[in-house]
Amino acid sequence: MGKVIAVSNQKGGVGKSTTVVNLAAVLGKAGRKVLIVDFDPQGNTTTSFAIKKSRIKNTVHEVIMDECSLEEAITATEFTGVSVVPTTQNLSGAAVRLITMPDRALKLRKKLDRARGFYDYIFIDCPPTLDMLTINALAAADSVLIPLQCEFLSLEGLVELSETIKRVRASYNPALEVEGILFTMYVERYKLTSQVTGQVRKKFKGLVFDTVIPRNVAISEAPSYGEPVVYYDKKSKGAKAYEELAKEMIKRDRKKQKPDKN
């Protein structure tokens, strides 16, 4: 069964969509079948795979509004192993419409349940807001990957998201885990970087990835070419960092799957 990972932080601009795009691309190159659900109305993930929004017939909006099936909205990419359920700005209206619908928090989970059998990983790129879209994503996920920029303001978003995860566990998804906290836009020479990372590692022991994603020109440039960084510049520090992240994540999964000998 495929693993569903929501990539979320209630603060924008922390590298959320960048992480979805590049982690998925690395896993696809490694032979995994990956589906991305672009659940952020900004549609940065859709754009990063050079999917033309003007030509899209079915999006995730139509899926959760029961206007098409998930299969009808899945779009293949030119990158090995990766498919996308794209989005457009239309998704913004769904957050409001969902409030009046029965099982409003579980719409996405029901759509993704069947897809688990076809993919090794399903990533949900969440909006940087606490609304019914984010609640749907967390209710559908097995775990949450939290990208965190190395700034003090980002810590507020982390605290808020931690509270949201607790509420979702209590109401909709008791098995929801934290996949890990990922430091992004990492600049080692900054004193602030060590201060923030030190605080987070102390407070969230065991949840922080060893891998960090550096601030890197290739990572910033790649979306404008419609390519993940591992295709745009596979020798860049950014590409190598996402390769290391994928290895670390797979290693963690294998460790969890090992039977307890005690």
Side-chain angles (χ1 to χ4, degrees), residues 53-224:
K53 295 178 183 178
S54 59
R55 299 178 186 174
I56 301 170
K57 181 180 178 182
N58 294 318
T59 71
V60 70
H61 174 269
E62 281 72 36
V63 173
I64 61 170
M65 291 294 116
D66 298 319
E67 295 171 12
C68 76
S69 67
L70 181 71
E71 291 78 7
E72 289 174 313
I74 292 174
T75 302
T77 74
E78 60 184 89
F79 305 104
T80 305
V82 181
S83 297
V84 176
V85 180
T87 197
T88 64
Q89 282 287 346
N90 288 344
L91 184 61
S92 299
V96 177
R97 291 177 64 188
L98 280 168
I99 294 173
T100 61
M101 299 176 75
D103 294 328
R104 57 186 178 272
L106 305 176
K107 296 288 285 185
L108 186 60
R109 181 200 290 182
K110 291 176 180 178
K111 301 296 182 180
L112 292 182
D113 275 348
R114 210 165 62 129
R116 286 175 177 269
F118 298 96
Y119 296 94
D120 298 301
Y121 291 96
I122 300 174
F123 290 100
I124 308 171
D125 185 6
C126 301
T129 53
L130 176 54
D131 57 17
M132 284 310 302
L133 296 179
T134 299
I135 298 298
N136 261 264
L138 297 179
D142 298 308
S143 61
V144 192
L145 193 162
I146 308 169
L148 186 69
Q149 190 176 356
C150 299
E151 327 183 313
F152 280 117
L153 289 178
S154 296
L155 296 177
E156 291 184 2
L158 179 58
V159 172
E160 290 171 4
L161 180 58
S162 297
E163 292 302 314
T164 301
I165 290 170
K166 288 179 184 177
R167 291 196 292 271
V168 171
R169 282 175 179 155
S171 300
Y172 307 110
N173 188 0
L176 182 64
E177 298 180 347
V178 175
E179 182 71 25
I181 298 168
L182 173 69
F183 291 119
T184 61
M185 305 177 198
Y186 189 93
V187 182
E188 189 173 6
R189 68 179 184 274
Y190 290 173
K191 184 178 179 180
L192 181 60
T193 297
S194 62
Q195 291 174 337
V196 172
T197 56
Q199 282 191 27
V200 174
R201 290 188 187 278
K202 183 177 180 180
K203 185 171 183 178
F204 298 92
K205 288 181 180 178
L207 294 178
V208 182
F209 284 106
D210 293 329
T211 305
V212 298
I213 308 301
R215 191 178 292 276
N216 179 249
V217 173
I219 291 176
S220 300
E221 290 177 345
S224 65

